[in-house]
Amino acid sequence: MQCIRRQPKRSASQENILLEQSRRVAALNGIRLGLKDDKDLKFLLKGSQLLKVKSSSWRKERFYKLQEDCKTIWQESKKVLRSPESQIFSIEDIRDVRSGHKTEGMEKYAKDVPEYRCFSIVFKDQRKNLDLIASSEDDANHWIAGLGKIIAHSNSMNQKQKLQHWIHTCLRKADKNKDNKMSLKELKDFLKEVNIEVDDYHAKKIFQHCDKSKTEALEDDEIEEFYKILTERKEIDSIFQVYSDPEGFMSCQNLVRFLYEVQQEEDAVVAAPALIQRYEPNERAKRGNAMTKDGFLMYLLSDEGNIFNPSHRKVYQDMSQPLSHYLVSSSHNTYLMEDQITGPSSTEAYIRALTKGCRCVELDCWDGPNSEPVIYHGYTLTSKILFSDVIKAIKNYAFKTSPYPVIISLENHCSVDQQKVMAQHMTTILQDMLLVAPVDGNKSQFPSPEQLKGKILVKGKKLSRHEDPINGNNNLEAEDVSDEDEAAEIEDESVKTKVEQKGKSDTLKLAKELSDTVIYCKSVHFEGFDDPSHPRAFYEMSSFSESKALKLAQESGTSFIHHNIRHLSRIYPAGWRTDSSNYSPVDLWNVGCQIVALNFQTAGTEMDVYQGRFQDNGFSGYVLKPEFLRDEQTKFNPKSITEGTWGTKKKLLLKIISGQQLPKVNKSKNSIVDPKVTIEIHGVQQDNNKKQTKVIENNGFNPNWNEEFTFDIEIPALALVRFVVEDFDMSTKNDFIGQYTLPFTSLKQGYRHIHLLTKNGDPYSSSTLFVYVNIQDCD
């Protein structure tokens, strides 16, 4: 029988000492966050009882408390054998804190409780919302305000502060006996915690170098010395030395040289003094208009040292062109949280898509009980939500991320009576947001995103007899229109059976009230590209399955481009993608298709590329197509590139230098990552490419590659660059660590940091790649 050694019981005085140490650590972390003596922070550190709400019958009291690191929340659990790790969640995992009944759970299960006592924590990943009820309004306000402040202050910390906070948290975790000293064993545990494998010899060598007091334990200044060794960036020191004097100062003049010669910054003379004032921590250097090594590192870790052009973080493109001249961030079956057959539908999915910059959302509408239309994936077992609840969510979140127009794409399967209810809900809930008439009498082409700011457009069927949505509507009450039923295309046996039983009709009776909400986006079947002598009205738009659209792109690329100059095209995933997988949007963007709808709930390469494209132009959800995709005389064909005005060919040189604080993939204490980096080019067929570094074994903390790669880019305006970091595994598929994707035209040159994103597209707090970028015109 195995004996379990119990921890010796601490005396009351030891407990008091530990409690006081914990308070000191919490106070120090509060100061790091800029929240010294904050009353809300103090309340969260003390903790309180909250009612956790899961259903109408499950509402239980649990204790919640902010940990001393000011980064994690501990939650009481009554589950047997629950691991300590599962009882905490990180502040970094929180997307939003909502007061009142602002989630589906609160709306359904807490209506009996006053809104001022309710709040919800919404997570970044697919985790369920945490719906909570406080015992008083004051308690709820402390939690809402306190969490809000910690999130805001954490986000505003610079990379160096984040790194310091993280390392000190890991040090605290490794200090098992909480004596504020670090033994050799604790030092080795700490190194594993931060994702670095060091053999016993090297661990002992570092330990002995720092243990100046020869006490076999590191404390105070010795721990700081260890911290400095650990966070040393030799690759940046060597760059700094070239431009600094023997005393360790880089003059403003030398910084200008570095910015101009290496970083290719055109405004180097103006930028250099501003960078010194913004990032230099040493007051003496700042007064002398110079930069130290620390200031130089802080600049390279900042937004100005980012690989993504910071001027592209705001809207910089011409937003006054017709709507059809832009790529539009668009979601497919927006209501689904998971797969297409049995998964849950939720208003939360609309909120998530809209806050990710999505500007076109989809609503599949069916008759519901009590004369209230519902949204779900027809013929399947996906759950149902009320049409009115979705319209409320769209109203509340449509313009939080971007002010530019939102398109509601209706797939309508409702009876005439319930269509009238749909029209009424949109009119009464959306009010002035809903576009109900043409803008400024514009009758020959689409208005611009600028003209449509703050407006919601409806895409759907339109009564057709003698009708023209631009010049007024007819007086028909209802009429048969062609039916569009994407759900019927699903390749699933149970769905096919239900479609056959229903007896699919090619027509649908359309209510005038619903028809009248459609102004600029009239859905029509695609009958072929325009006959120049009988052009279709610009406001008529078609939807294509991915396979049909790709076939058109392959066989009639130039014709498709011409069609997309004047008309909108919507593309949706193939019926066999029942798992909500995605297709690559790039080939369809290359022929000017605007509304290329993806399953936003599914992470992966396709969604990474999608979000990479739309982080451009201020994350507004609208990206202006290149000139050659808007020019009515264009002869461009991405499948057969000839000489033309498509932009200068480029040669891209990329040097992958190093990585910093890569996260652990396997949470096992002894698991250390073996990282490798893959660089992918996504664009026209000739540009598609992929190259990778060697594998660095057992080092996720500060791996060094120093490898150079070159790529020829034929059509820069259509290319995206994706950096993927994986944990190499000889026997199984590599594990994803992080990635970053950006348009080629948003690349900054010189020495840059890449701030990696999680598989769901959220930023890691301090995981980066350090690279060198150089772009030359091809001869």
Side-chain angles (χ1 to χ4, degrees):
M1 182 177 150
Q2 194 176 5
C3 292
I4 297 171
R5 188 166 48 182
R6 295 184 181 278
Q7 290 286 335
K9 199 171 186 306
R10 294 189 184 105
S11 66
S13 63
Q14 284 175 319
E15 286 292 346
N16 287 336
I17 290 167
L18 287 175
L19 197 62
E20 186 51 40
Q21 280 177 0
S22 178
R23 284 197 194 108
R24 277 209 309 273
V25 170
L28 182 62
N29 285 323
I31 292 165
R32 283 195 185 117
L33 279 170
L35 294 171
K36 185 183 177 185
D37 297 329
D38 183 86
K39 65 180 191 323
D40 295 317
L41 184 71
K42 283 182 176 175
F43 179 87
L44 267 58
L45 286 162
K46 195 174 168 189
S48 77
Q49 295 286 350
L50 296 167
L51 276 178
K52 184 176 178 180
V53 181
K54 279 190 176 179
S55 69
S56 50
S57 58
W58 200 104
R59 193 184 280 185
K60 295 183 181 175
E61 198 169 70
R62 296 285 183 261
F63 188 75
Y64 289 82
K65 178 185 182 297
L66 179 67
Q67 303 279 78
E68 64 186 31
D69 61 4
C70 297
K71 281 177 69 173
T72 49
I73 305 276
W74 181 83
Q75 51 187 337
E76 178 189 11
S77 174
K78 298 289 168 76
K79 281 185 185 173
V80 182
L81 300 176
R82 186 165 182 181
S83 68
E85 288 81 13
S86 67
Q87 285 184 255
I88 60 171
F89 60 86
S90 171
I91 297 285
E92 285 170 13
D93 296 337
I94 297 173
R95 184 179 298 287
D96 197 9
V97 182
R98 296 184 200 153
S99 59
H101 304 142
K102 299 273 174 55
T103 61
E104 280 180 320
M106 281 302 197
E107 190 74 31
K108 279 184 192 170
Y109 311 128
K111 276 293 196 186
D112 58 315
V113 181
E115 284 212 65
Y116 55 73
R117 282 176 50 206
C118 301
F119 67 99
S120 302
I121 293 172
V122 180
F123 295 101
K124 287 177 180 174
D125 50 25
Q126 302 298 325
R127 209 181 321 183
K128 286 180 180 168
N129 298 338
L130 186 55
D131 293 321
L132 300 164
I133 299 170
S135 56
S136 69
E137 183 177 4
D138 274 357
D139 281 12
N141 288 341
H142 278 309
W143 277 103
I144 295 162
L147 289 172
K149 285 178 197 173
I150 297 168
I151 292 166
H153 284 257
S154 296
N155 290 341
S156 64
M157 285 168 92
N158 64 45
Q159 286 295 118
K160 198 166 182 191
Q161 288 169 321
K162 284 179 185 174
L163 174 62
Q164 192 176 25
H165 193 163
W166 177 66
I167 285 183
H168 280 278
T169 301
C170 292
L171 283 166
R172 184 91 181 136
K173 207 186 279 188
D175 183 12
K176 294 286 186 261
N177 60 359
K178 306 296 178 210
D179 62 354
N180 280 346
K181 296 177 184 177
M182 189 184 277
S183 66
L184 178 58
K185 184 184 182 309
E186 286 172 338
L187 178 133
K188 281 154 76 175
D189 286 345
F190 164 78
L191 290 170
K192 282 180 181 166
E193 186 69 41
V194 300
N195 211 357
I196 185 169
E197 182 78 71
V198 177
D199 61 39
D200 287 354
Y201 171 77
H202 281 100
K204 197 166 185 181
K205 204 171 169 187
I206 295 169
F207 186 83
Q208 286 171 344
H209 172 82
C210 298
D211 183 20
K212 306 282 196 246
S213 57
K214 308 293 180 204
T215 57
E216 296 295 313
L218 307 185
E219 50 189 312
D220 301 332
D221 293 347
E222 294 170 340
I223 290 175
E224 285 303 312
E225 174 71 14
F226 170 64
Y227 168 80
K228 277 180 187 165
I229 292 170
L230 200 63
T231 55
E232 200 171 26
R233 294 284 303 273
K234 288 179 179 170
E235 73 277 34
I236 288 176
D237 294 353
S238 61
I239 301 163
F240 182 79
Q241 278 169 5
V242 175
Y243 292 88
S244 61
D245 63 25
E247 287 183 39
F249 293 102
M250 183 191 285
S251 68
C252 187
Q253 192 178 356
N254 278 350
L255 179 57
V256 168
R257 261 184 60 219
F258 171 77
L259 293 174
Y260 188 73
E261 293 169 5
V262 181
Q263 305 295 78
Q264 307 285 306
E265 300 285 7
E266 290 173 10
D267 62 344
V269 175
V270 177
L275 291 175
I276 290 168
Q277 290 309 307
R278 198 172 302 136
Y279 298 115
E280 179 49 58
N282 182 310
E283 286 302 323
R284 182 184 150 212
K286 203 186 271 192
R287 282 195 301 274
N289 207 16
M291 203 174 238
T292 62
K293 193 164 66 178
D294 282 348
F296 187 62
L297 173 60
M298 284 174 77
Y299 148 63
L300 286 173
L301 282 166
S302 75
D303 212 32
E304 281 95 343
N306 199 312
I307 194 168
F308 183 79
N309 188 334
S311 69
H312 292 189
R313 290 199 195 283
K314 56 183 185 294
V315 173
Y316 68 95
Q317 295 175 345
D318 177 6
M319 300 303 278
S320 64
Q321 302 213 17
L323 202 63
S324 54
H325 287 194
Y326 299 83
L327 305 180
V328 184
S329 179
S330 308
S331 154
H332 170 249
N333 288 355
T334 314
Y335 46 89
L336 293 177
M337 298 286 279
E338 295 169 15
D339 66 77
Q340 305 283 312
I341 306 293
T342 59
S345 304
S346 170
T347 55
E348 193 61 48
Y350 286 90
I351 295 169
R352 287 184 184 185
L354 290 165
T355 51
K356 280 185 174 180
C358 179
R359 298 288 85 193
C360 179
V361 293
E362 189 177 354
L363 286 69
D364 284 4
C365 311
W366 299 77
D367 280 357
N370 309 316
S371 300
E372 281 293 340
V374 293
I375 290 174
Y376 84 112
H377 205 189
Y379 316 111
T380 70
L381 300 174
T382 57
S383 62
K384 298 170 184 177
I385 49 178
L386 287 175
F387 177 84
S388 58
D389 286 347
V390 170
I391 298 300
K392 284 174 195 165
I394 291 171
K395 180 195 175 180
N396 291 334
Y397 287 88
F399 304 111
K400 281 196 186 295
T401 300
S402 164
Y404 292 101
V406 167
I407 301 168
I408 291 177
S409 179
L410 292 182
E411 189 174 310
N412 168 26
H413 304 275
C414 290
S415 62
V416 170
D417 284 346
Q418 293 213 12
Q419 288 176 42
K420 290 177 181 177
V421 175
M422 286 165 61
Q424 187 185 1
H425 282 321
M426 286 195 286
T427 308
T428 54
I429 294 167
L430 299 176
Q431 298 178 328
D432 291 347
M433 286 181 181
L434 185 67
L435 188 78
V436 292
V439 176
D440 297 340
N442 199 337
K443 296 179 181 180
S444 59
Q445 64 175 16
F446 283 107
S448 69
E450 191 63 37
Q451 289 173 298
L452 291 166
K453 262 185 174 176
K455 288 296 180 188
I456 294 174
L457 286 67
V458 177
K459 171 202 160 288
K461 287 293 179 180
K462 190 86 181 158
L463 291 175
S464 57
R465 196 184 302 163
H466 315 301
E467 160 277 330
D468 177 348
I470 301 301
N471 294 315
N473 295 290
N474 64 25
N475 296 316
L476 287 171
E477 285 303 310
E479 183 190 55
D480 284 343
V481 294
S482 61
D483 188 18
E484 288 184 355
D485 192 354
E486 289 168 22
E489 297 175 25
I490 294 177
E491 293 181 20
D492 178 83
E493 287 309 312
S494 63
V495 170
K496 285 178 181 173
T497 305
K498 285 180 185 173
V499 172
E500 284 164 16
Q501 287 168 351
K502 180 194 170 202
K504 189 174 173 331
S505 167
D506 290 334
T507 60
L508 169 88
K509 203 166 275 300
L510 179 66
K512 179 181 184 297
E513 290 85 346
L514 190 59
S515 173
D516 286 352
T517 64
V518 177
I519 305 300
Y520 284 117
C521 302
K522 178 189 173 185
S523 296
V524 297
H525 280 296
F526 181 70
E527 305 287 355
F529 295 120
D530 273 359
D531 174 352
S533 59
H534 296 94
R536 274 168 37 187
F538 75 89
Y539 50 77
E540 292 186 350
M541 64 174 290
S542 300
S543 290
F544 306 85
S545 70
E546 65 176 273
S547 49
K548 184 172 182 182
L550 287 167
K551 190 170 187 287
L552 287 171
Q554 180 70 41
E555 296 173 1
S556 316
T558 308
S559 299
F560 212 171
I561 288 168
H562 280 275
H563 174 83
N564 289 325
I565 291 169
R566 194 157 175 268
H567 299 279
L568 290 172
S569 291
R570 175 179 163 272
I571 321 298
Y572 58 91
W576 57 265
R577 295 186 184 276
T578 54
D579 59 349
S580 294
S581 61
N582 280 314
Y583 57 99
S584 170
V586 177
D587 284 341
L588 298 158
W589 288 334
N590 290 349
V591 289
C593 294
Q594 304 89 346
I595 300 176
V596 181
L598 294 199
N599 293 303
F600 266 52
Q601 72 273 33
T602 306
T605 304
E606 298 81 12
M607 203 62 216
D608 294 343
V609 168
Y610 206 84
Q611 290 298 81
R613 170 58 74 202
F614 285 106
Q615 73 165 317
D616 194 8
N617 202 30
F619 200 51
S620 63
Y622 285 85
V623 171
L624 186 65
K625 294 192 275 190
E627 173 63 33
F628 56 81
L629 294 182
R630 295 180 275 125
D631 175 12
E632 295 195 356
Q633 306 305 313
T634 190
K635 291 183 170 58
F636 180 74
N637 183 347
K639 297 296 179 189
S640 172
I641 292 168
T642 53
E643 289 300 314
T645 55
W646 332 131
T648 310
K649 294 179 192 176
K650 302 286 183 184
K651 187 174 281 295
L652 170 65
L653 179 138
L654 280 170
K655 185 176 185 182
I656 306 295
I657 301 169
S658 61
Q660 293 76 40
Q661 292 89 59
L662 302 178
K664 279 193 169 200
V665 176
N666 184 334
K667 295 299 177 195
S668 150
K669 183 178 159 187
N670 293 313
S671 173
I672 310 293
V673 301
D674 304 323
K676 68 163 193 166
V677 182
T678 303
I679 307 151
E680 302 168 356
I681 308 294
H682 298 259
V684 296
Q685 209 163 336
Q686 290 97 311
D687 291 344
N688 291 340
N689 206 339
K690 185 188 284 194
K691 295 181 181 181
Q692 56 192 37
T693 66
K694 60 181 179 282
V695 175
I696 303 289
E697 292 187 359
N698 290 327
N699 187 350
F701 184 74
N702 55 3
N704 264 272
W705 289 279
N706 277 314
E707 290 186 63
E708 278 188 12
F709 305 92
T710 57
F711 299 88
D712 290 330
I713 310 292
E714 187 93 20
I715 311 290
L718 296 179
L720 295 108
V721 187
R722 181 171 183 253
F723 299 85
V724 195
V725 187
E726 292 177 306
D727 180 12
F728 177 74
D729 196 308
M730 186 103 54
S731 55
T732 61
K733 189 170 177 275
N734 295 339
D735 287 317
F736 175 90
I737 293 175
Q739 70 84 34
Y740 189 77
T741 308
L742 74 166
F744 179 87
T745 51
S746 295
L747 281 169
K748 290 292 280 181
Q749 297 192 64
Y751 290 101
R752 303 285 169 181
H753 278 97
I754 297 170
H755 296 259
L756 294 172
L757 305 178
T758 67
K759 71 172 189 293
N760 291 310
D762 298 305
Y764 284 115
S765 64
S766 49
S767 299
T768 51
L769 292 178
F770 186 54
V771 300
Y772 174 76
V773 183
N774 184 258
I775 299 168
Q776 302 285 342
D777 291 349
C778 283
D779 297 331

